[in-house]
mmCIF file of all heavy atoms in Angstrom:
data_model
loop_
_atom_site.group_PDB
_atom_site.id
_atom_site.type_symbol
_atom_site.label_atom_id
_atom_site.label_comp_id
_atom_site.label_asym_id
_atom_site.label_seq_id
_atom_site.Cartn_x
_atom_site.Cartn_y
_atom_site.Cartn_z
ATOM 1 N N LEU A 2 -12.832 -7.025 -1.589
ATOM 2 C CA LEU A 2 -11.443 -6.587 -1.731
ATOM 3 C C LEU A 2 -10.521 -7.669 -1.176
ATOM 4 O O LEU A 2 -10.905 -8.417 -0.287
ATOM 5 C CB LEU A 2 -11.215 -5.278 -0.983
ATOM 6 C CG LEU A 2 -11.915 -4.031 -1.554
ATOM 7 C CD1 LEU A 2 -11.657 -2.830 -0.636
ATOM 8 C CD2 LEU A 2 -11.457 -3.723 -2.960
ATOM 9 N N ILE A 10 -6.233 -0.764 4.252
ATOM 10 C CA ILE A 10 -7.318 0.089 4.756
ATOM 11 C C ILE A 10 -7.295 0.118 6.261
ATOM 12 O O ILE A 10 -7.428 1.182 6.877
ATOM 13 C CB ILE A 10 -8.670 -0.357 4.202
ATOM 14 C CG1 ILE A 10 -8.739 -0.078 2.689
ATOM 15 C CG2 ILE A 10 -9.836 0.362 4.916
ATOM 16 C CD1 ILE A 10 -9.954 -0.709 1.995
ATOM 17 N N PRO A 18 -8.890 8.257 15.569
ATOM 18 C CA PRO A 18 -9.557 7.715 16.763
ATOM 19 C C PRO A 18 -10.563 6.643 16.381
ATOM 20 O O PRO A 18 -11.150 6.692 15.281
ATOM 21 C CB PRO A 18 -10.260 8.942 17.356
ATOM 22 C CG PRO A 18 -9.506 10.118 16.822
ATOM 23 C CD PRO A 18 -9.027 9.707 15.464
ATOM 24 N N LYS A 22 -13.387 6.299 12.171
ATOM 25 C CA LYS A 22 -12.767 5.542 11.089
ATOM 26 C C LYS A 22 -13.228 5.985 9.695
ATOM 27 O O LYS A 22 -12.517 5.743 8.717
ATOM 28 C CB LYS A 22 -12.917 4.035 11.284
ATOM 29 C CG LYS A 22 -14.273 3.469 11.245
ATOM 30 C CD LYS A 22 -14.148 1.984 11.588
ATOM 31 C CE LYS A 22 -15.360 1.182 11.241
ATOM 32 N NZ LYS A 22 -15.136 -0.249 11.444
ATOM 33 N N SER A 24 -12.907 8.751 8.639
ATOM 34 C CA SER A 24 -11.867 9.675 8.206
ATOM 35 C C SER A 24 -10.911 9.024 7.193
ATOM 36 O O SER A 24 -10.218 9.727 6.471
ATOM 37 C CB SER A 24 -11.083 10.206 9.390
ATOM 38 O OG SER A 24 -11.938 10.913 10.262
ATOM 39 N N GLU A 36 -6.798 -1.597 -6.559
ATOM 40 C CA GLU A 36 -7.027 -3.021 -6.787
ATOM 41 C C GLU A 36 -7.971 -3.273 -7.951
ATOM 42 O O GLU A 36 -7.716 -4.143 -8.777
ATOM 43 C CB GLU A 36 -7.596 -3.653 -5.528
ATOM 44 C CG GLU A 36 -7.901 -5.137 -5.707
ATOM 45 C CD GLU A 36 -8.426 -5.840 -4.466
ATOM 46 O OE1 GLU A 36 -7.960 -5.517 -3.372
ATOM 47 O OE2 GLU A 36 -9.284 -6.706 -4.640
ATOM 48 N N ASN A 42 -20.307 0.963 -7.980
ATOM 49 C CA ASN A 42 -21.166 1.229 -6.831
ATOM 50 C C ASN A 42 -21.021 0.149 -5.766
ATOM 51 O O ASN A 42 -21.045 0.445 -4.580
ATOM 52 C CB ASN A 42 -22.638 1.299 -7.296
ATOM 53 C CG ASN A 42 -22.944 2.585 -8.030
ATOM 54 O OD1 ASN A 42 -22.185 3.542 -7.975
ATOM 55 N ND2 ASN A 42 -24.067 2.601 -8.704
ATOM 56 N N TYR A 51 -17.703 -1.058 5.426
ATOM 57 C CA TYR A 51 -16.454 -1.335 6.139
ATOM 58 C C TYR A 51 -16.104 -0.188 7.092
ATOM 59 O O TYR A 51 -15.551 -0.412 8.162
ATOM 60 C CB TYR A 51 -15.318 -1.561 5.139
ATOM 61 C CG TYR A 51 -14.138 -2.281 5.689
ATOM 62 C CD1 TYR A 51 -14.177 -3.690 5.876
ATOM 63 C CD2 TYR A 51 -12.979 -1.611 6.038
ATOM 64 C CE1 TYR A 51 -13.068 -4.336 6.410
ATOM 65 C CE2 TYR A 51 -11.886 -2.279 6.554
ATOM 66 C CZ TYR A 51 -11.944 -3.642 6.759
ATOM 67 O OH TYR A 51 -10.860 -4.305 7.288
ATOM 68 N N MET A 68 -9.755 12.360 -8.816
ATOM 69 C CA MET A 68 -8.783 11.257 -8.780
ATOM 70 C C MET A 68 -9.477 9.909 -8.754
ATOM 71 O O MET A 68 -8.853 8.888 -8.987
ATOM 72 C CB MET A 68 -7.844 11.411 -7.599
ATOM 73 C CG MET A 68 -8.511 11.241 -6.254
ATOM 74 S SD MET A 68 -7.400 11.680 -4.946
ATOM 75 C CE MET A 68 -8.347 12.906 -4.114
ATOM 76 N N GLU A 72 -15.916 4.920 -13.597
ATOM 77 C CA GLU A 72 -16.180 4.054 -14.720
ATOM 78 C C GLU A 72 -14.834 3.481 -15.164
ATOM 79 O O GLU A 72 -13.791 4.041 -14.870
ATOM 80 C CB GLU A 72 -16.843 4.817 -15.860
ATOM 81 C CG GLU A 72 -16.023 5.966 -16.371
ATOM 82 C CD GLU A 72 -16.755 6.850 -17.350
ATOM 83 O OE1 GLU A 72 -17.992 6.887 -17.301
ATOM 84 O OE2 GLU A 72 -16.094 7.512 -18.152
ATOM 85 N N TYR A 77 -3.865 3.706 -18.960
ATOM 86 C CA TYR A 77 -3.212 4.923 -18.512
ATOM 87 C C TYR A 77 -4.204 6.087 -18.555
ATOM 88 O O TYR A 77 -4.702 6.431 -19.650
ATOM 89 C CB TYR A 77 -1.988 5.253 -19.346
ATOM 90 C CG TYR A 77 -0.910 4.228 -19.236
ATOM 91 C CD1 TYR A 77 -0.698 3.301 -20.255
ATOM 92 C CD2 TYR A 77 -0.075 4.193 -18.117
ATOM 93 C CE1 TYR A 77 0.311 2.352 -20.129
ATOM 94 C CE2 TYR A 77 0.915 3.235 -18.006
ATOM 95 C CZ TYR A 77 1.103 2.315 -19.018
ATOM 96 O OH TYR A 77 2.098 1.385 -18.930
ATOM 97 N N SER A 90 0.781 28.774 -19.777
ATOM 98 C CA SER A 90 2.146 28.289 -19.908
ATOM 99 C C SER A 90 2.236 27.043 -20.783
ATOM 100 O O SER A 90 3.156 26.245 -20.638
ATOM 101 C CB SER A 90 2.769 28.005 -18.548
ATOM 102 O OG SER A 90 2.816 29.184 -17.771
ATOM 103 N N ASN A 93 -2.863 24.195 -22.546
ATOM 104 C CA ASN A 93 -3.862 23.959 -23.601
ATOM 105 C C ASN A 93 -3.179 23.399 -24.865
ATOM 106 O O ASN A 93 -3.740 22.526 -25.532
ATOM 107 C CB ASN A 93 -4.610 25.246 -23.928
ATOM 108 C CG ASN A 93 -5.596 25.628 -22.834
ATOM 109 O OD1 ASN A 93 -5.922 24.808 -21.989
ATOM 110 N ND2 ASN A 93 -6.026 26.848 -22.853
ATOM 111 N N GLY A 104 -5.813 10.688 -30.885
ATOM 112 C CA GLY A 104 -7.035 10.596 -31.685
ATOM 113 C C GLY A 104 -8.299 10.575 -30.839
ATOM 114 O O GLY A 104 -9.311 10.016 -31.235
ATOM 115 N N GLU A 122 -7.859 20.156 -12.948
ATOM 116 C CA GLU A 122 -7.683 21.485 -12.346
ATOM 117 C C GLU A 122 -6.289 21.530 -11.740
ATOM 118 O O GLU A 122 -5.478 20.646 -11.914
ATOM 119 C CB GLU A 122 -8.761 21.707 -11.305
ATOM 120 C CG GLU A 122 -10.111 22.021 -11.896
ATOM 121 C CD GLU A 122 -10.143 23.309 -12.728
ATOM 122 O OE1 GLU A 122 -9.548 24.307 -12.307
ATOM 123 O OE2 GLU A 122 -10.738 23.263 -13.813
ATOM 124 N N ALA A 130 4.709 24.064 -15.450
ATOM 125 C CA ALA A 130 3.736 23.901 -16.536
ATOM 126 C C ALA A 130 4.418 23.736 -17.878
ATOM 127 O O ALA A 130 5.525 24.259 -18.086
ATOM 128 C CB ALA A 130 2.799 25.091 -16.562
ATOM 129 N N LYS A 148 8.603 15.670 -25.007
ATOM 130 C CA LYS A 148 8.462 14.931 -23.771
ATOM 131 C C LYS A 148 7.157 14.115 -23.784
ATOM 132 O O LYS A 148 7.094 12.995 -23.254
ATOM 133 C CB LYS A 148 8.515 15.863 -22.547
ATOM 134 C CG LYS A 148 9.950 16.319 -22.253
ATOM 135 C CD LYS A 148 10.026 17.138 -20.992
ATOM 136 C CE LYS A 148 10.009 16.239 -19.777
ATOM 137 N NZ LYS A 148 10.248 16.945 -18.529
#
Side-chain angles (χ1 to χ4, degrees):
L2 292 176
I10 292 171
K22 66 185 195 173
S24 298
E36 178 178 323
N42 286 345
Y51 200 78
M68 67 189 124
E72 59 189 24
Y77 295 103
S90 298
N93 287 344
E122 285 298 317
K148 285 185 78 173

